[in-house]
Amino acid sequence: MCTASICTIGDEILIGQIVDTNSSFIARELNKIGIKVVFIASVQDDQAEIESKLALCRSISDIVITTGGLGPTKDDITKRVLGKIYNARSSYYHKEQSEIIAEICKKRGIEVSTLNRDQALVPDCCKVLVNKLGTAPGMVFMEYPDNDPAPKLLFSLPGVPYEMRSILPEVLKRIEDQYSLESIYHKTILTYGIPESGLSEMIADWENALPSPVHLAYLPNPASGVKLRLSVYGEEISYARKLVSDAISGLKPILKESIYGEDDQTLESVVANVLTCGSKTLSVAESCTGGRVASRLTMLAGASNYFKGGVVAYDNNVKTGLLKVDPEVIEKFGAVSSECVIQMAEGVKKLMQTDYSVATSGIAGPSGGSDQKPVGTLWIAISGEDRTISVKVILSGEREQNIERFSSYALNYLRLFINNQYI
Amino acid sequence: MCTASICTIGDEILIGQIVDTNSSFIARELNKIGIKVVFIASVQDDQAEIESKLALCRSISDIVITTGGLGPTKDDITKRVLGKIYNARSSYYHKEQSEIIAEICKKRGIEVSTLNRDQALVPDCCKVLVNKLGTAPGMVFMEYPDNDPAPKLLFSLPGVPYEMRSILPEVLKRIEDQYSLESIYHKTILTYGIPESGLSEMIADWENALPSPVHLAYLPNPASGVKLRLSVYGEEISYARKLVSDAISGLKPILKESIYGEDDQTLESVVANVLTCGSKTLSVAESCTGGRVASRLTMLAGASNYFKGGVVAYDNNVKTGLLKVDPEVIEKFGAVSSECVIQMAEGVKKLMQTDYSVATSGIAGPSGGSDQKPVGTLWIAISGEDRTISVKVILSGEREQNIERFSSYALNYLRLFINNQYI
């Protein structure tokens, strides 16, 4: 199996200033095309460090992908070090990248400084991967080990995540062109509401009966549920697709409505699709989630097609005044109650004149809990054309995690409701 | 200078399923006590891989911190491998951790399984760092290299972030006890609104005049601004504090209100403090930020002390109906305009009866832009007791980044307004 190492370069990672999200993204994409990532490393902007750790990466894997260290300032030395490692004789200004740099400077209304112009200066021993979104081009270096028929590749990519992501498809294409990779087929089934251990018990018989080419991986995530990835390696794609499709047909009757989507979908994108396709509208009323449900929905482009708005009813006076929750309900049952959250959902639906609404009220912590309503208690209500339902969830976690998971539960129950899958 | 490597262990990192946030957190904490992190690596749950990469880490640094690979299932092998590396002769059940495991199982209403009980089984060659929040204890291993007077330490910590974070203070304490670390003093000054390049020009003279023991680092972040960290190594703390305090006294007149706080404060925590201390209340009206401002404020515990609620006015009918924006204003100037956002702020303030309010309306992208109002345009309004101000911001980025930075700008202008620093 073709192997890869990922090496992120930059002091800002080693002093803990930024979280390295590039490695995870690249690892996932390599994995999808059947390349095994065997090592991930982060090193300082230091010549000896970069040389020694890249030597290690090159010795243990076919492919090395580096990100970072390509900025215009003097602390960024990756390009120079790579030129040295791969025996560059000279450098030249890459024409297309130079033009892009000029264009970027023009847009920003600044002159092309020497530092910026030199971003297009590349060692003669590399091929350039043009960066349309930034000044630093990507580069590919090749070497031909003595006793190995296939060349080894090293890709150097910019550290800015969206620039890196814009070049990565070209990287994957070059890898696929260079290596005769096993054909690979993945399909991911997304589930919500059943913990990993429970899920694995439920599908044990199905899992044991999977045909041998089909491999199953559990990918749990607190905010997006457990993803089940089915993979087939080394088989003809149409055959692999049939195997996986048959397996999924067997899975659906077991997990039923716990399955919310496939591959790159999310709870919010699924809700958005259903509402947009049905030309239905949504509003939200949030207490403990404090705007997180609305924020997740509106992070997706096109939210204005179905989302009219929301009320963050943090204070009880907002619940009673704006959402018309009966003060006696709060007096008698508390704000964290089925009765209150139902009135919140119905209130916001009427206020915003939408087809559906969702409401949350709970205790995110760290304080505010009691024996009867511990920290982690959440009431959710969903209201539709002719009915409103409520449901209680109890989680254990810290405040931020609780709020994030509260919002996932709310989105999931909303999904079930609008699909008529929950009574 | 004392050095450290961090090694995260687990297949889930190498397949890109999770982003490694532990390394960044640990690196930052080590950095604070004057330890230089020279290498960060992620390896698979594989004996040979763990052994070889830990050997590398141990050879290049005084301290190694590993996280992960301590779960109860058979794929987690870190504890066994560490026992082998450090020549364990036997294992034993650690009493306090066993009791915690029993307690955790009791709370979850489950029997203590063999797998769970064995989580307290540790090699005899380590010292245990009790994990009060989970089943897997932390461990410390020591070795005494032949030609080195100081022992080398390896800490193995659980991979679950909040469990790791709960044990880390004990790790730092043991490191400080073991090594005669240089005394170190840090103070971080938080700024918002001036890009790194502009900031560095503004403070160039001040920076050049800094006394030599004071080191300056720029830590830019799109959502929280540029942080300036002043550090003094190897000096008596009271002297270091005086040097830094004098330097900051010189910085304040230059950066003035661009400085929003110190150390671990955030834009939202600063706003929360000022409002809570002044017993003032806040409401928000959000269009393009879609709940993100409210969500950031309510992620902090204690938000109910000052935050009454918000309206996510995504649809123009919500702006006119609920917030009482004049439909003619939207007709004439558009929803993304000073006029509209001022009426939104005043509308929500009246609706929620608060002392202050903040409103946003803009174009997050990718669509919806025009020549006059390109994607990235944001109008913010802040309303107080006797006046309302509005301000325009233009950013360039992708939708999610724009929304995040829009919310930061809104929080920053709110801060300036409530501190009477903006006219």
Side-chain angles (χ1 to χ4, degrees):
Chain A
M1 194 169 186
C2 186
T3 57
S5 296
I6 301 169
C7 186
T8 57
I9 300 170
D11 292 343
E12 65 277 19
I13 297 170
L14 290 151
I15 63 170
Q17 184 200 331
I18 62 163
V19 171
D20 166 28
T21 56
N22 283 342
S23 296
S24 166
F25 188 89
I26 294 169
R28 199 160 52 240
E29 294 302 311
L30 289 174
N31 210 257
K32 278 188 199 160
I33 62 166
I35 290 165
K36 182 169 183 175
V37 177
V38 292
F39 188 51
I40 296 176
S42 298
V43 302
Q44 306 164 67
D45 294 307
D46 174 276
Q47 174 153 355
E49 280 297 311
I50 296 174
E51 285 189 45
S52 73
K53 298 312 180 297
L54 287 186
L56 171 65
C57 290
R58 287 153 63 216
S59 73
I60 60 174
S61 51
D62 303 309
I63 298 160
V64 180
I65 299 187
T66 76
T67 68
L70 299 178
T73 51
K74 64 173 184 265
D75 50 326
D76 283 322
I77 58 173
T78 302
K79 194 158 64 179
R80 182 159 54 75
V81 175
L82 288 172
K84 177 166 174 270
I85 292 176
Y86 289 94
N87 305 313
R89 283 156 307 180
S90 63
S91 293
Y92 71 100
Y93 287 94
H94 187 266
K95 189 161 174 292
E96 192 179 348
Q97 193 64 48
S98 297
E99 289 164 5
I100 290 169
I101 291 168
E103 191 66 28
I104 288 174
C105 290
K106 196 176 152 196
K107 260 194 196 167
R108 292 187 194 157
I110 55 172
E111 292 287 304
V112 180
S113 66
T114 311
L115 284 180
N116 280 329
R117 196 180 61 230
D118 285 356
Q119 286 286 82
L121 195 61
V122 293
D124 61 358
C125 56
C126 78
K127 286 180 182 162
V128 165
L129 305 172
V130 168
N131 179 358
K132 290 186 174 140
L133 303 180
T135 56
M139 294 171 286
V140 198
F141 298 85
M142 295 177 79
E143 59 188 322
Y144 296 84
D146 287 342
N147 42 14
D148 196 334
K152 290 195 167 198
L153 299 179
L154 183 145
F155 297 88
S156 163
L157 305 179
V160 180
Y162 79 95
E163 296 178 21
M164 179 281 288
R165 289 198 302 267
S166 76
I167 302 177
L168 197 62
E170 175 66 19
V171 171
L172 300 176
K173 193 180 160 297
R174 284 179 186 243
I175 290 172
E176 287 177 316
D177 288 349
Q178 192 67 57
Y179 297 93
S180 49
L181 297 175
E182 259 190 334
S183 72
I184 187 163
Y185 180 75
H186 292 297
K187 191 92 192 164
T188 306
I189 299 298
L190 314 175
T191 76
Y192 198 85
I194 307 172
E196 185 183 5
S197 55
L199 201 68
S200 103
E201 279 178 32
M202 281 174 75
I203 65 175
D205 290 344
W206 170 84
E207 187 176 350
N208 289 330
L210 281 175
S212 61
V214 180
H215 296 267
L216 178 71
Y218 289 76
L219 312 175
N221 177 296
S224 56
V226 181
K227 302 181 181 188
L228 297 170
R229 194 179 59 195
L230 293 93
S231 307
V232 175
Y233 301 89
E235 302 285 350
E236 216 235 314
I237 288 296
S238 61
Y239 175 62
R241 188 176 285 128
K242 168 105 178 52
L243 285 177
V244 168
S245 160
D246 288 350
I248 292 172
S249 299
L251 184 66
K252 284 182 174 170
I254 305 171
L255 296 181
K256 300 191 184 75
E257 71 277 359
S258 299
I259 295 175
Y260 69 85
E262 287 185 354
D263 296 334
D264 294 331
Q265 292 184 295
T266 60
L267 285 169
E268 42 270 49
S269 78
V270 168
V271 165
N273 280 346
V274 176
L275 292 172
T276 303
C277 292
S279 299
K280 299 291 183 187
T281 55
L282 175 71
S283 56
V284 304
E286 304 185 60
S287 184
C288 60
T289 52
R292 185 68 189 132
V293 175
S295 178
R296 285 177 66 172
L297 290 167
T298 55
M299 279 285 176
L300 291 180
S304 55
N305 291 329
Y306 69 91
F307 185 71
K308 293 191 99 175
V311 170
V312 181
Y314 221 62
D315 191 278
N316 284 345
N317 288 331
V318 179
K319 296 184 183 82
T320 55
L322 200 52
L323 299 176
K324 306 300 176 203
V325 173
D326 182 351
E328 277 186 25
V329 156
I330 295 182
E331 178 81 20
K332 197 168 164 191
F333 304 102
V336 180
S337 65
S338 173
E339 291 78 3
C340 176
V341 83
I342 283 177
Q343 293 196 354
M344 287 171 66
E346 292 179 342
V348 79
K349 194 180 70 174
K350 194 171 169 195
L351 194 66
M352 306 240 167
Q353 297 171 36
T354 54
D355 301 304
Y356 293 98
S357 66
V358 54
T360 62
S361 186
I363 303 151
S367 63
S370 66
D371 281 353
Q372 276 154 357
K373 294 178 186 174
V375 166
T377 303
L378 171 71
W379 274 99
I380 300 166
I382 320 282
S383 189
E385 208 178 352
D386 49 13
R387 68 199 176 109
T388 305
I389 60 118
S390 70
V391 61
K392 185 164 89 164
V393 169
I394 300 183
L395 305 178
S396 63
E398 292 178 317
R399 181 179 179 87
E400 282 199 27
Q401 298 170 299
N402 282 341
I403 292 174
E404 191 63 23
R405 291 183 65 201
F406 283 172
S407 69
S408 293
Y409 270 95
L411 290 168
N412 189 49
Y413 280 109
L414 173 62
R415 167 186 76 84
L416 293 169
F417 188 93
I418 59 183
N419 284 333
N420 292 310
Q421 285 171 322
Y422 187 86
I423 300 152
Chain B
M1 194 169 184
C2 185
T3 57
S5 296
I6 300 169
C7 186
T8 57
I9 300 170
D11 292 343
E12 66 277 17
I13 298 170
L14 291 151
I15 63 171
Q17 184 201 329
I18 62 162
V19 171
D20 166 27
T21 56
N22 283 344
S23 296
S24 165
F25 189 89
I26 295 169
R28 200 160 52 239
E29 294 302 310
L30 289 174
N31 211 258
K32 278 186 199 162
I33 61 166
I35 290 166
K36 182 169 185 177
V37 176
V38 292
F39 189 51
I40 296 176
S42 297
V43 301
Q44 307 162 66
D45 292 307
D46 174 277
Q47 175 154 356
E49 281 296 312
I50 297 173
E51 284 188 44
S52 73
K53 298 313 180 299
L54 287 187
L56 171 65
C57 291
R58 287 154 62 214
S59 73
I60 62 175
S61 50
D62 303 309
I63 298 160
V64 180
I65 299 187
T66 75
T67 68
L70 300 178
T73 53
K74 62 173 185 261
D75 52 324
D76 284 321
I77 58 172
T78 302
K79 194 159 62 179
R80 184 160 52 77
V81 175
L82 288 173
K84 178 166 174 269
I85 293 175
Y86 289 94
N87 305 312
R89 284 155 305 177
S90 63
S91 292
Y92 71 100
Y93 287 95
H94 187 266
K95 189 161 174 290
E96 191 178 347
Q97 193 65 48
S98 297
E99 288 163 5
I100 291 169
I101 292 168
E103 190 66 27
I104 288 174
C105 290
K106 195 176 152 195
K107 261 194 195 164
R108 292 186 193 156
I110 55 173
E111 292 287 303
V112 180
S113 66
T114 310
L115 285 179
N116 280 331
R117 195 181 60 229
D118 285 356
Q119 287 285 84
L121 195 61
V122 292
D124 60 358
C125 56
C126 79
K127 285 182 184 162
V128 165
L129 305 171
V130 168
N131 179 358
K132 290 186 175 142
L133 304 179
T135 56
M139 294 170 286
V140 198
F141 298 85
M142 294 177 83
E143 59 188 324
Y144 296 84
D146 286 344
N147 43 16
D148 197 332
K152 290 195 167 197
L153 299 179
L154 183 145
F155 295 88
S156 163
L157 305 180
V160 179
Y162 78 95
E163 295 178 21
M164 179 280 289
R165 290 199 300 268
S166 76
I167 303 177
L168 198 61
E170 175 66 19
V171 171
L172 300 176
K173 193 180 159 295
R174 283 178 186 244
I175 291 172
E176 288 178 316
D177 287 349
Q178 191 68 57
Y179 297 93
S180 49
L181 297 175
E182 259 189 336
S183 71
I184 187 163
Y185 180 76
H186 291 299
K187 191 92 195 164
T188 305
I189 299 298
L190 314 174
T191 77
Y192 197 87
I194 308 171
E196 185 181 3
S197 54
L199 200 68
S200 104
E201 279 178 32
M202 282 173 75
I203 64 175
D205 290 343
W206 170 84
E207 188 176 349
N208 289 330
L210 280 175
S212 61
V214 180
H215 296 267
L216 177 71
Y218 289 75
L219 312 175
N221 178 296
S224 56
V226 181
K227 302 181 183 190
L228 297 170
R229 193 180 58 196
L230 293 92
S231 307
V232 175
Y233 300 89
E235 301 284 350
E236 217 236 313
I237 288 297
S238 62
Y239 176 61
R241 186 177 286 130
K242 167 110 178 49
L243 285 176
V244 168
S245 159
D246 288 349
I248 292 172
S249 299
L251 184 66
K252 284 182 173 170
I254 307 171
L255 296 181
K256 298 190 184 79
E257 70 278 359
S258 299
I259 296 174
Y260 69 85
E262 288 184 354
D263 297 332
D264 294 329
Q265 291 185 296
T266 60
L267 285 170
E268 43 271 49
S269 78
V270 168
V271 165
N273 279 347
V274 176
L275 292 173
T276 304
C277 291
S279 299
K280 299 291 183 186
T281 56
L282 174 71
S283 57
V284 304
E286 304 185 59
S287 184
C288 61
T289 51
R292 186 65 189 135
V293 176
S295 178
R296 284 177 66 171
L297 290 167
T298 55
M299 278 285 175
L300 292 181
S304 56
N305 290 330
Y306 69 91
F307 185 71
K308 292 191 100 176
V311 170
V312 181
Y314 221 62
D315 191 278
N316 284 346
N317 288 332
V318 179
K319 296 184 184 81
T320 56
L322 199 53
L323 298 177
K324 307 300 176 203
V325 173
D326 182 351
E328 277 186 25
V329 157
I330 295 182
E331 178 81 21
K332 195 168 166 191
F333 304 102
V336 180
S337 65
S338 172
E339 291 79 2
C340 176
V341 83
I342 282 177
Q343 293 195 354
M344 287 171 66
E346 292 179 344
V348 80
K349 194 180 71 174
K350 194 171 168 195
L351 194 65
M352 306 239 167
Q353 297 170 36
T354 54
D355 300 305
Y356 294 97
S357 67
V358 54
T360 62
S361 186
I363 303 151
S367 64
S370 66
D371 281 353
Q372 277 155 353
K373 293 178 186 174
V375 166
T377 304
L378 171 71
W379 275 100
I380 299 167
I382 318 282
S383 189
E385 207 178 354
D386 50 12
R387 69 202 176 108
T388 304
I389 60 118
S390 71
V391 60
K392 186 164 88 163
V393 169
I394 300 183
L395 306 178
S396 62
E398 292 179 316
R399 181 179 179 85
E400 281 198 28
Q401 297 171 300
N402 282 341
I403 293 174
E404 190 63 23
R405 291 183 63 201
F406 283 173
S407 68
S408 293
Y409 270 94
L411 290 168
N412 188 49
Y413 280 110
L414 173 62
R415 168 186 75 87
L416 292 169
F417 188 94
I418 58 182
N419 284 335
N420 292 310
Q421 286 171 321
Y422 188 87
I423 299 152

